[in-house]
Amino acid sequence: MSTTTAEDHQLALSPHVVVTPLGEGALLLHLDSKFFHSINRPGWGILQLLEAGTTRQNIMSNCTDWGAGEHDRAAIENYLDELISNDLAGNFDGKTTGQQAQFSGDWAAPTIERHDEPLERIVTSAFDPSVPLAE
Amino acid sequence: MTCARMQVDSTESGLYASSQSGSTCLSRNTGRNWSIAIPHTHSDTQIREDMVDFLNLALTESWRGIGWVPLHAASITSDKICALLCATAGGGKSTLTASMIRRGWKTLGDDKLLLRKDEDGTVEVAALLHSFNLHPRTRDWFPEVGDLTGLPPYSPWTEKRRVRIESIWPDSTATSSRPTHLIEVARQPDVHGIRLTPLPHAKVLPLLMRQTVIPGHPAWASQILATLAAAAARIQGWRIDVGDDAYESGKHLAGLEELLQ
């Protein structure tokens, strides 16, 4: 009989999220909530693993290869929890693609910052998403 | 997607838009064919409003299909410089653009532009309309605009009038350019002249994202976000606070011109 732990659960990027590289990190946009988030370079490295589907164990292993120490574990866990709580990532039961992440440079703790104001959810025109509904 | 006057849903055959007044619009063949149905009971005004919304939808989808992202921005351009000016409706894009035209700059438009990432990764911005939406008060600063009060307002929601740019400032329009600057324009009555502040690079992409509509379809959204990110990577961001006296003397704009050049 096999047992699975939280370490073995597969995680993946939410299908409601699109990502684009930005500077050394990336920017994530949640297509339903319209909130967007900036992540730093190590955060982007981890996110590339999530794009293909991965486990916490594999993420930790990759982070160790990139220079993370045992003392970084909490920051990495917090980062993953933040992704999950904002519906940017979640459990995944599909087949992982084994995609490798691109990471270079010095290691730092992964960070994610949510921008205060989401994009407009109600729009009048592709040319002016800011015009309010009252118009 | 929820719009102010209509709901747009993705269906198996294509997009289906339904207005609050009962009109519908359906696309087929990946946006090549559009069918519009309008109830017999509609007034001319309702027909016009629904048609404008549906045609905007069809055009927007078609532009996206060939890689162009609609952008709510004005522009000023000169040689290899092209600044995109962003502000909310009524925020002063047209007036600032007109003031720079008077200093010899050209424009791609004061409100509607198209943005595209080329195969080499560079970004092109193109003109859509060579008309300005000007408030009749613009004449107070720029007498050559003349009396606009005889023209009809271009929409029920504004006092602005639509005028052809070249009819006021000949040879002042361009058709395309490469964006080099992004400028957030804001009216600030307490500012004397104009105040220029650099925007942190991390703020440039979010500001660009607020100038267009990113639909919920992941493939479309990814394409649009990639285009905006490519533009953001190549442009400097600035904020310009415009005081009430900014256009009374040309000297206030010299700082902006110096920054751009």
Side-chain angles (χ1 to χ4, degrees):
Chain A
M1 178 180 164
S2 66
T3 58
T4 58
T5 67
E7 291 277 291
D8 300 323
H9 283 155
Q10 292 201 127
L11 296 172
L13 196 65
S14 161
H16 308 293
V17 172
V18 290
V19 188
T20 191
L22 176 64
E24 293 188 330
L27 186 137
L28 290 74
L29 171 65
H30 193 287
L31 296 172
D32 288 344
S33 73
K34 302 293 185 187
F35 272 104
F36 53 103
H37 301 71
S38 296
I39 55 176
N40 66 355
R41 186 162 43 86
W44 177 214
I46 293 171
L47 205 86
Q48 290 173 66
L49 297 171
L50 290 168
E51 284 184 316
T54 187
T55 61
R56 284 180 186 255
Q57 194 173 33
N58 190 45
I59 289 170
M60 289 297 175
S61 170
N62 274 268
C63 290
T64 302
D65 292 345
W66 299 338
E70 188 58 33
H71 60 280
D72 291 308
R73 177 173 286 272
I76 296 166
E77 292 285 2
N78 284 342
Y79 173 75
L80 293 174
D81 291 344
E82 194 75 12
L83 289 174
I84 292 166
S85 67
N86 284 288
D87 190 32
L88 301 169
N91 288 333
F92 172 68
D93 54 11
K95 189 174 180 183
T96 61
T97 64
Q99 177 182 304
Q100 296 297 305
Q102 301 289 322
F103 183 86
S104 60
D106 294 336
W107 167 261
T111 61
I112 177 166
E113 179 194 357
R114 187 167 95 155
H115 294 248
D116 289 340
E117 292 290 327
L119 300 181
E120 300 290 338
R121 280 175 224 158
I122 297 174
V123 299
T124 54
S125 156
F127 284 110
D128 192 354
S130 66
V131 176
L133 179 61
E135 182 176 276
Chain B
M1 176 176 285
T2 306
C3 304
R5 290 189 296 251
M6 64 180 179
Q7 176 76 29
V8 183
D9 295 310
S10 187
T11 69
E12 282 186 9
S13 62
L15 291 181
Y16 177 76
S18 52
S19 78
Q20 290 173 354
S21 61
S23 302
T24 60
C25 176
L26 178 66
S27 76
R28 294 190 186 87
N29 298 332
T30 58
R32 289 197 179 116
N33 300 101
W34 293 78
S35 309
I36 293 175
I38 293 178
H40 290 296
T41 51
H42 261 29
S43 67
D44 286 350
T45 305
Q46 283 175 310
I47 291 173
R48 181 178 175 279
E49 286 181 357
D50 288 348
M51 287 297 286
V52 166
D53 284 347
F54 291 153
L55 289 173
N56 268 333
L57 176 66
L59 285 169
T60 301
E61 283 297 299
S62 302
W63 287 321
R64 284 177 183 152
I66 53 174
W68 290 102
V69 177
L71 201 67
H72 177 229
S75 81
I76 49 174
T77 182
S78 174
D79 295 329
K80 292 184 176 176
I81 299 161
C82 176
L84 307 177
L85 312 179
C86 304
T88 52
K93 297 187 300 296
S94 301
T95 312
L96 181 58
T97 304
S99 71
M100 296 301 279
I101 286 175
R102 299 177 93 228
R103 298 174 70 86
W105 290 68
K106 296 192 178 205
T107 184
L108 302 173
D110 76 331
D111 192 50
K112 296 175 174 57
L113 303 173
L114 296 171
L115 197 69
R116 182 174 69 179
K117 186 169 88 164
D118 291 338
E119 285 180 5
D120 62 0
T122 60
V123 174
E124 181 182 5
V125 58
L128 188 64
L129 292 171
H130 280 159
S131 60
F132 266 7
N133 298 323
L134 293 177
H135 196 285
R137 276 202 318 263
T138 312
R139 183 189 192 183
D140 297 345
W141 294 307
F142 315 136
E144 66 271 32
V145 167
D147 183 5
L148 300 180
T149 55
L151 300 173
Y154 84 89
S155 95
W157 323 111
T158 175
E159 283 296 304
K160 290 183 176 180
R161 269 62 167 185
R162 180 165 292 163
V163 295
R164 205 166 58 82
I165 302 171
E166 298 267 354
S167 69
I168 302 173
W169 296 286
D171 196 28
S172 62
T173 57
T175 53
S176 69
S177 189
R178 303 268 178 203
T180 55
H181 297 75
L182 179 69
I183 300 178
E184 184 179 30
V185 183
R187 292 185 190 278
Q188 291 291 351
D190 56 328
V191 167
H192 174 57
I194 64 170
R195 181 174 61 203
L196 293 160
T197 317
L199 273 184
H201 194 68
K203 301 274 185 190
V204 172
L205 179 56
L207 180 58
L208 271 176
M209 288 165 66
R210 295 187 189 283
Q211 313 310 317
T212 192
V213 171
I214 301 181
H217 191 285
W220 282 131
S222 287
Q223 180 193 319
I224 292 170
L225 204 53
T227 300
L228 299 179
R234 289 166 173 79
I235 58 185
Q236 291 179 29
W238 288 84
R239 177 184 168 93
I240 175 169
D241 293 300
V242 181
D244 285 345
D245 62 347
Y247 304 118
E248 290 173 6
S249 157
K251 69 178 183 183
H252 295 308
L253 294 168
L256 173 61
E257 206 162 46
E258 191 177 331
L259 180 152
L260 294 173
Q261 289 179 333

